[in-house]
Amino acid sequence: MQIESLYHSPNTKWAYSYDSSTFHLRIRTKKNDVNQVIAITGDKYDWDNYNNDYPMEKIATDRYFDYWETELSPAQKRFSYGFRLQAEDETIWMTESGIYDEEPSPPSGYYEMPYMHEIDGFKAPDWAKSAIFYQIMPDRFANGDPRIDPDGVLEWGDQPTNDSHFGGDLQGIIDHLDYLTELGITAIYLTPIFEAPSNHKYDTVDYKKVDPHFGDTAVLKKLVAACHDRNMKVVLDAVFNHSSVNFPPFKDVIEKGEQSAYVDWFHIHDFPVEVKEGTVNYATFGFYASMPKLNTTNPEVKQYLLDVAEHWLKEVQIDGWRLDVANEIDHSFWRDFRKVVKKANPDAYIIGEAWSDSLRWLLGDQFDSVMNYPFSDRILQFFQSEQPNGLSFAENMNNILMRYPLQTNEVLFNLLGSHDTPRVLTMFKENKNRLKLAVAFLLTYIGTPCIFYGDEIGLTGEQDPDCRKCMEWDPAKQDRELFEFYKLMIQLRKKHEVLRFGRFSFLRADAEDGRIIYERRNKKEVFTIWMNQSEETALLAQPADTETEHWQDAFSGDPVKSVDGFVSIELEPFGYRILRRSLNGV
C-alpha cells in the first residue's frame, strides 16, 4: 500500500456527527490501492466490553484517491478508533500515533471522539433539504405597480444596459405566485430589495428601508405572507461587505474627513477621501468606487448590521439570508451573525456567496450553505463538451462531494446560472437537449437546487447585463415545452424523498465517453439515472439481480425487465432515462 496517500483527521469532514446519535468516519487511500478498510472502535474506559468493528464502504473516487466511510452510533456517545487496511496479502493498522504492521493495543494512541455534543454539530434547517429555489431580480421579473416606477424606465423587454430600470417590483412577484406554484417552486431568493441607486441594488443606501421603486415594508409583508400561505419560503439578499457611496455614514466621512464619527466604519487609506485618476484611496468591492467596503470588525458597524439582519427576520418573518461577497468578511462577524439570526428564527437558512472550497464557513458556527459554483462549473463543462469524458466528470464531482460532510452536501445551494453568469441556454449554444440533461442532473443531485428566473421558459443572454433581461410573460413567446420539462423534473424530485437527500454515487462513468449512470439511494428506494451525453444512439447496461430487483420507469411506472442479469437501456442522442425500485416491497 502507498501509505503516503493515507489520510484521516479526527475532525471536520473526516470525523463528524451527522445527527445527535450518528457519527461518520472517513479515510482516504490511494486510488485502486486498498481492497478493504475496517474501522476498529471501542470505549477507552472499557475497551473489552465496548468494542465493534465497522466495515467501511468506498463512497467516492477522484483522480488520485479513494474515499471510504462508515456510520456508527456509540451507546455512550464517545469512542476511540483506528483503521485496519488490507490490500491483497498486506494488512496495516493506522491510528493517531502512526501506521503499524501489527495491531497496536487499544486505546492508547488511537484517534478519539471524546463526546458527541449536539450543540457542536452542523445543523441546517430541514426544509432546505427539500426546497426548490427560484432566484428573482425584482426589477426584471414583473411590474405590478407602475405608479412607483423610477424615472426613465424602459419599455418592458427592451435590451438591458448596466444602468437601465424596467419597473419590476414586489407587487409584480405577488401577482405571479400562481405561476411559481404551478412550476413547483417552494422557496424564492430575491436579490437586494433595499434602497439603492442601481437596478441591481447591491449598493445599499438604507438597509432598513425597502427601495421605494420596489414597494414598501407593507408590500414586503404582504409578499412574505402570501408565500407562506403557499408553503413557500422567502430568502433576502444581505450586502454587508460594502455599501453605496451614498450610504449616510460614508457621505459623512467624505464631508468631515478624519473628524467624522464614522471614519472607522470603512477602510480609509488617507484623506481626503477621493477618486483620483480612476484610483480610490479606500477599500472597495472589487475596484468599484461606488461600493466602499465596510469595516465589519468595528463594533459599531457590526452591531448596526446585526440589527439589520434581526430587524427583517422579526419585522417581516423572512426565512433566511443570502450573503453577498460573504467570503470577504471576517469569520468573527459571521459567527455572531449566526447567533443573532438563529435566535430570531431557529429555522432560518443562511447561504453565503463563496465561489470555491468553503468548508471553513460550514462547520456549524457560520453558514448553513454556500452557492455551489464548483458544482455549476463541472456540470456546465461536461454537458457542454463536444468530447465528454465521463470518468473525469465523475472524479471531479466526487472531489467536490468529499469537500464536505454529508449533511452539508444535502443543503448546498446548487445552481446552473445566476445574475452573475450568462444564461444557461446561451451557455449551451441554445442546444435544448444538452440543457435538459444538465437540468435533469441538477434536479436529481444531492443538495438544494435553484433556478434563475426565466431559465425555465428559455430566456437567453450573454454576461451581465444581457443575462438580466426582463421576464417574458407572453405565453406565445415562452418555451412552454421547456417549462413543462422543468415542471416534470421538479414534481419527480418533490414526490420522492430519495432524490432530495438520498446517497449519491456513480455506477458508470468511462473515459472518452459521454454515457453515465448514477444512483440516489436511501433505505426505502433506489433511483438510477441514465444519461447519453453524445450525438450517437447508445446502449447502456447495468448488472441486476433478476430475483430481487424489480425496476420500473420513474415517470410512467412501466416495468423494466432485466435479461441475463443485466438491465439494458437504449438512449437516443442526448437522451436520459430514470428508473426506480423499492427496497421494501412498495
Side-chain angles (χ1 to χ4, degrees):
M1 273 175 275
Q2 187 181 83
I3 61 174
E4 296 89 344
S5 292
L6 302 181
Y7 186 80
H8 173 78
S9 177
N11 52 45
T12 62
K13 63 184 179 182
W14 301 98
Y16 61 90
S17 296
Y18 177 71
D19 55 34
S20 60
S21 61
T22 308
F23 202 84
H24 289 178
L25 290 176
R26 289 178 181 173
I27 188 172
R28 188 192 76 189
T29 64
K30 180 186 176 183
K31 185 175 181 178
N32 298 326
D33 190 46
V34 174
N35 299 332
Q36 184 185 60
V37 183
I38 304 292
I40 306 164
T41 75
D43 192 294
K44 69 176 182 179
Y45 297 111
D46 190 354
W47 188 278
D48 290 340
N49 290 309
Y50 296 95
N51 70 86
N52 286 287
D53 290 355
Y54 293 90
M56 302 188 75
E57 179 185 359
K58 187 189 296 186
I59 60 167
T61 298
D62 63 19
R63 186 176 180 183
Y64 301 109
F65 303 110
D66 291 331
Y67 300 86
W68 305 74
E69 183 178 279
T70 193
E71 179 178 286
L72 59 153
S73 298
Q76 283 76 35
K77 293 195 173 184
R78 65 173 185 251
F79 61 98
S80 297
Y81 63 97
F83 303 98
R84 183 172 71 244
L85 302 97
Q86 183 175 342
E88 298 180 354
D89 58 351
E90 182 184 8
T91 301
I92 63 172
W93 285 260
M94 179 176 171
T95 68
E96 188 170 69
S97 61
I99 296 173
Y100 304 91
D101 293 328
E102 296 182 359
E103 182 173 9
S105 179
S108 178
Y110 277 53
Y111 298 104
E112 186 175 355
M113 165 41 62
Y115 197 84
M116 292 169 56
H117 293 282
E118 186 171 2
I119 195 172
D120 291 332
F122 174 95
K123 182 172 177 55
D126 286 338
W127 66 263
K129 296 181 181 181
S130 299
I132 311 290
F133 265 88
Y134 191 84
Q135 180 189 354
I136 295 174
M137 295 195 74
D139 182 64
R140 306 299 160 85
F141 190 63
N143 189 335
D145 187 354
R147 298 172 302 173
I148 60 174
D149 288 356
D151 293 336
V153 66
L154 298 186
E155 189 74 23
W156 193 263
D158 280 358
Q159 183 64 30
T161 67
N162 288 323
D163 302 318
S164 56
H165 294 262
F166 287 90
D169 50 41
L170 299 181
Q171 184 61 49
I173 300 171
I174 295 171
D175 294 343
H176 291 281
L177 289 179
D178 285 346
Y179 170 85
L180 298 181
T181 300
E182 180 188 358
L183 182 59
I185 298 304
T186 64
I188 59 174
Y189 147 46
L190 303 181
T191 56
I193 62 168
F194 306 118
E195 185 174 23
S198 66
N199 53 47
H200 53 71
K201 309 301 178 190
Y202 282 100
D203 48 348
T204 312
V205 170
D206 190 337
Y207 287 86
K208 290 189 176 181
K209 180 181 179 182
V210 174
D211 191 285
H213 300 304
F214 287 169
D216 55 24
T217 300
V219 180
L220 179 58
K221 286 182 177 180
K222 180 181 175 184
L223 169 61
V224 173
C227 287
H228 288 174
D229 286 345
R230 298 165 179 265
N231 295 316
M232 191 181 296
K233 305 292 187 180
V234 180
V235 171
L236 300 185
D237 210 326
V239 189
F240 291 167
N241 176 69
H242 55 271
S243 69
S244 167
V245 289
N246 294 320
F247 183 44
F250 192 74
K251 291 180 70 175
D252 192 82
V253 174
I254 293 174
E255 178 184 342
K256 299 177 183 177
E258 294 177 85
Q259 305 307 312
S260 171
Y262 302 101
V263 69
D264 292 327
W265 279 45
F266 306 91
H267 301 269
I268 310 297
H269 305 323
D270 53 59
F271 296 91
V273 175
E274 61 183 350
V275 180
K276 190 174 182 179
E277 297 180 355
T279 301
V280 299
N281 62 347
Y282 53 91
T284 63
F285 165 60
F287 292 98
Y288 295 98
S290 61
M291 298 181 182
K293 183 175 176 63
L294 290 160
N295 179 12
T296 51
T297 62
N298 179 309
E300 293 179 357
V301 175
K302 187 174 192 175
Q303 192 58 54
Y304 173 83
L305 295 175
L306 295 182
D307 288 347
V308 168
E310 181 182 50
H311 171 77
W312 292 109
L313 285 161
K314 291 183 175 181
E315 178 72 13
V316 184
Q317 304 296 309
I318 62 170
D319 303 288
W321 287 103
R322 182 266 186 184
L323 309 170
D324 189 57
V325 202
N327 56 343
E328 295 185 21
I329 295 176
D330 60 279
H331 292 277
S332 177
F333 177 88
W334 290 131
R335 292 187 181 101
D336 288 340
F337 175 87
R338 183 180 183 87
K339 292 175 184 176
V340 168
V341 167
K342 295 297 184 177
K343 183 179 180 181
N345 179 0
D347 224 19
Y349 183 40
I350 303 173
I351 312 159
E353 183 193 18
W355 289 64
S356 55
D357 190 330
S358 304
L359 184 61
R360 74 193 87 169
W361 291 280
L362 296 169
L363 299 177
D365 61 343
Q366 296 174 71
F367 308 156
D368 296 317
S369 179
V370 292
M371 300 185 75
N372 198 1
Y373 282 108
F375 163 86
S376 311
D377 293 342
R378 286 156 178 77
I379 297 300
L380 295 171
Q381 181 183 36
F382 178 68
F383 289 108
Q384 288 173 343
S385 177
E386 300 290 340
Q387 296 180 314
N389 185 321
L391 178 61
S392 178
F393 173 60
E395 291 172 344
N396 287 332
M397 293 303 297
N398 283 334
N399 181 268
I400 61 171
L401 276 173
M402 291 299 98
R403 289 179 176 181
Y404 307 111
L406 175 60
Q407 68 266 38
T408 307
N409 283 323
E410 289 175 340
V411 292
L412 287 182
F413 201 74
N414 297 331
L415 62 160
L416 297 179
S418 74
H419 63 290
D420 287 324
T421 71
R423 287 281 174 173
V424 288
L425 188 55
T426 297
M427 287 192 280
F428 282 105
K429 299 178 181 178
E430 302 195 25
N431 185 319
K432 198 163 64 171
N433 291 324
R434 288 184 182 272
L435 171 61
K436 285 182 177 180
L437 286 182
V439 172
F441 195 97
L442 170 71
L443 291 168
T444 55
Y445 185 69
I446 188 170
T448 304
C450 180
I451 298 163
F452 188 38
Y453 79 92
D455 281 351
E456 76 283 0
I457 49 95
L459 284 192
T460 59
E462 298 291 347
Q463 192 60 267
D464 172 32
D466 196 36
C467 62
R468 304 177 181 184
K469 291 177 179 176
C470 295
M471 178 66 177
E472 179 55 70
W473 290 113
D474 182 352
K477 297 180 180 179
Q478 294 179 341
D479 188 329
R480 297 303 297 179
E481 190 270 338
L482 186 59
F483 176 89
E484 291 298 329
F485 172 78
Y486 271 86
K487 180 179 173 180
L488 179 70
M489 293 303 306
I490 289 171
Q491 288 174 338
L492 186 71
R493 184 180 182 90
K494 292 171 73 173
K495 181 178 179 180
H496 296 278
E497 182 181 278
V498 67
L499 293 179
R500 302 194 297 276
F501 36 90
R503 288 281 189 163
F504 173 94
S505 60
F506 283 95
L507 302 178
R508 171 178 177 158
D510 301 325
E512 309 305 327
D513 190 339
R515 298 171 295 174
I516 60 172
I517 305 174
Y518 58 94
E519 75 170 11
R520 300 297 308 278
R521 174 186 292 267
N522 62 15
K523 295 179 180 179
K524 298 179 181 179
E525 64 179 337
V526 180
F527 269 63
T528 56
I529 298 89
W530 308 55
M531 291 187 172
N532 177 25
Q533 206 295 76
S534 76
E535 297 180 352
E536 306 292 335
T537 299
L539 181 66
L540 286 76
Q542 187 66 20
D545 186 330
T546 56
E547 299 297 323
T548 61
E549 295 188 17
H550 303 287
W551 292 98
Q552 59 183 201
D553 185 278
F555 294 110
S556 68
D558 294 339
V560 178
K561 295 182 179 180
S562 59
V563 178
D564 298 328
F566 286 87
V567 171
S568 298
I569 302 289
E570 183 174 273
L571 295 176
E572 62 187 7
F574 306 113
Y576 73 97
R577 189 88 181 270
I578 301 177
L579 308 185
R580 68 167 295 271
R581 69 181 179 93
S582 172
L583 296 179
N584 56 13
V586 178

